[in-house]
Amino acid sequence: MNQPLDGVRVVDFGQFIAAPAATQILVDLGADVIKVEPVTGEAARTIGLYGEAILRTYNRGKRAVAVDLATPRGQQLAHRLIADADIVVQNLRPGVMERFGLGAAAVRAAHPQVIYATVSGFGLHGPSKQRAGLDIAAQAESGIMWVTGEADGEPQRVGFPVVDAAAAQVFAQAILGAYVRRLRFGTGDEVEVSLLEVAVHLQGPNWGEYLLTGKPPVRSGNGQPTVAPAADIMPTLDGAIVLSAYSAPHFAKLCELIARPDLARDERFESNAARVRNRSALLIELRAAFADQTTDQAMDLLTPNGIVAGRISSYDEVRKNPDVEATGLFIEVDGADGTQHTTLGAPWNLGSVPSSSRAGAPTLGQHTAEILGRLGYSPEDIADLQAQRVIHLP
């Protein structure tokens, strides 16, 4: 069965997460993604374990070319790659692609059929368009850190690069929309996504409340400010669970299950508004009910009876979770050195895509000679480019 993006060629100038993670989605949909790096390698190759994790997670099944885009011959090579492509993706520092003659305007003028997609830190039109942007800056300036943490503590970042990961999903969605438009109407397009706007948009419910009331949300630790119990932690004998039961029928059911039907009639807890006002007292009562149960006992009590709850799991526990195992999310891939390792596959399933690519991330410049040969470069041309350090061959 043909995959959705069979025959689609993507040139990926991305580094770190947001752009490479977006093009990883395109790989998993069947696209041929050519990863273009400097001859010294992209920045993730220089930062140790974290960089290796990024490369393994977001570059599966890509083909790699290493070229010096600061040279005229390197820029010519890049244009030949782009002329053969459907989609160009980049997230280099602002102005870098323009200095190489590979910015959106130049590429779209030379190759109007191409979809040119840029993900930036702060957008391409505001006063911060020249700023370098990373996940943490977007978390800080979007309000995410302002609402994350304990009420009397300092602002906290989310414990993983949530904005980068979310931006990659949004970026891929927009690229696919542009590609569908090209299929329908025959014209290329320009796609722009920024970490900042994605970070703001991720907080839709918070912004909805703020726009309704004019009152900004505040840090409140676990739990949700306007409903209770909601996302509240219940310690158990061997760990903890999180639960939500803030609608009237769910709260009554929760009280029944923990053998405390009196709580539903207590004037402090008889409505959601009352429970929010008296959250501290409510948590004392609820936590006492779970303090002598194991996590498994608590989950067995709540989840078959319609109460939303989840065990707070370590990474070791997540890895062994039978529901996670059943998804096939963790896959074995072949590294460039012939060894196998485990990484994350695509978090979705399509009938036309039976499994994620089993090829691992490429080494620096692994496919340079192969791809240049397909573009018409002779072995002598390739050797000359290597001798002048315009390209890197492994």
Side-chain angles (χ1 to χ4, degrees), residues 26-375:
L26 305 185
V27 169
D28 288 331
L29 289 169
D32 174 17
V33 175
I34 298 172
K35 181 179 179 64
V36 180
E37 299 180 63
V39 292
T40 53
E42 75 141 285
R45 295 192 187 274
T46 68
I47 56 173
L49 180 62
Y50 183 55
E52 181 64 23
I54 289 171
L55 291 166
R56 286 190 174 193
T57 304
Y58 299 124
N59 292 279
R60 290 181 292 102
K62 297 178 184 178
R63 297 193 291 162
V65 171
V67 56
D68 184 356
L69 296 177
T71 66
R73 294 186 73 184
Q75 293 161 15
Q76 181 186 48
L77 191 161
H79 273 288
R80 289 178 70 169
L81 282 171
I82 291 168
D84 197 38
D86 301 287
I87 299 166
V88 174
V89 174
Q90 69 98 6
N91 68 336
L92 301 187
R93 289 175 66 91
V96 170
M97 291 294 276
E98 284 72 16
R99 288 199 299 273
F100 295 155
L102 296 169
V107 167
R108 295 270 292 118
H111 313 287
Q113 83 287 355
V114 162
I115 293 159
Y116 191 103
T118 300
V119 58
S120 63
F122 299 95
L124 304 180
H125 307 286
S128 295
K129 62 184 178 182
Q130 296 299 323
R131 285 175 60 188
L134 294 177
D135 175 278
I136 190 59
Q139 286 199 42
E141 298 197 20
S142 67
I144 288 177
M145 289 183 67
W146 183 257
V147 298
T148 304
E150 297 297 329
D152 57 352
E154 65 182 13
Q156 296 286 316
R157 75 174 183 91
V158 177
F160 64 97
V162 60
V163 179
D164 273 338
Q169 299 290 330
V170 173
F171 197 32
Q173 176 184 343
I175 290 168
L176 291 170
Y179 184 67
V180 170
R181 177 179 178 273
R182 196 184 89 165
L183 291 178
R184 295 186 65 201
F185 304 113
T187 56
D189 210 338
E190 190 171 343
V191 175
E192 297 177 8
V193 170
S194 75
L195 301 187
L196 181 62
E197 63 191 308
V198 170
V200 172
H201 198 272
L202 278 174
Q203 303 167 75
N206 280 11
W207 279 102
E209 291 182 4
Y210 172 72
L211 295 171
L212 281 168
T213 66
K215 298 178 180 178
V218 295
R219 287 188 299 283
S220 56
N222 293 309
Q224 293 176 230
T226 59
V227 285
D232 284 302
I233 306 300
M234 303 293 143
T236 63
L237 285 172
D238 58 352
I241 64 168
V242 62
L243 68 79
S244 289
Y246 47 84
S247 69
H250 283 119
F251 182 66
K253 185 67 174 180
L254 172 64
C255 295
E256 176 188 329
L257 290 171
I258 63 174
R260 291 294 309 277
D262 58 295
L263 293 178
R265 299 188 296 271
D266 189 313
E267 65 179 10
R268 296 173 300 169
F269 313 132
E270 62 185 0
S271 69
N272 177 66
R275 292 193 294 275
V276 170
R277 286 195 303 271
N278 298 288
R279 186 189 296 272
S280 296
L282 174 65
L283 292 182
I284 291 172
E285 300 287 0
L286 294 180
R287 286 172 174 171
F290 292 100
D292 61 353
Q293 298 185 39
T294 67
T295 298
D296 283 345
Q297 289 172 334
M299 293 294 291
D300 289 343
L301 174 69
L302 297 173
T303 57
N305 289 287
I307 303 299
V308 175
R311 67 183 70 238
I312 298 177
S313 302
S314 69
Y315 273 42
D316 285 340
E317 291 167 329
V318 173
R319 186 72 178 86
K320 298 173 184 175
N321 184 319
D323 290 310
V324 175
E325 289 180 340
T327 67
L329 182 61
F330 290 94
I331 61 173
E332 297 298 315
V333 298
D334 298 318
D337 61 0
T339 62
Q340 282 198 329
H341 61 264
T342 305
T343 189
L344 291 168
W348 40 260
N349 291 285
L350 293 180
S352 59
V353 183
S355 62
S356 295
S357 167
R358 279 345 194 217
T363 57
L364 176 63
Q366 180 178 341
H367 305 95
T368 301
E370 169 196 332
I371 291 171
L372 267 60
R374 183 177 54 77
L375 292 175

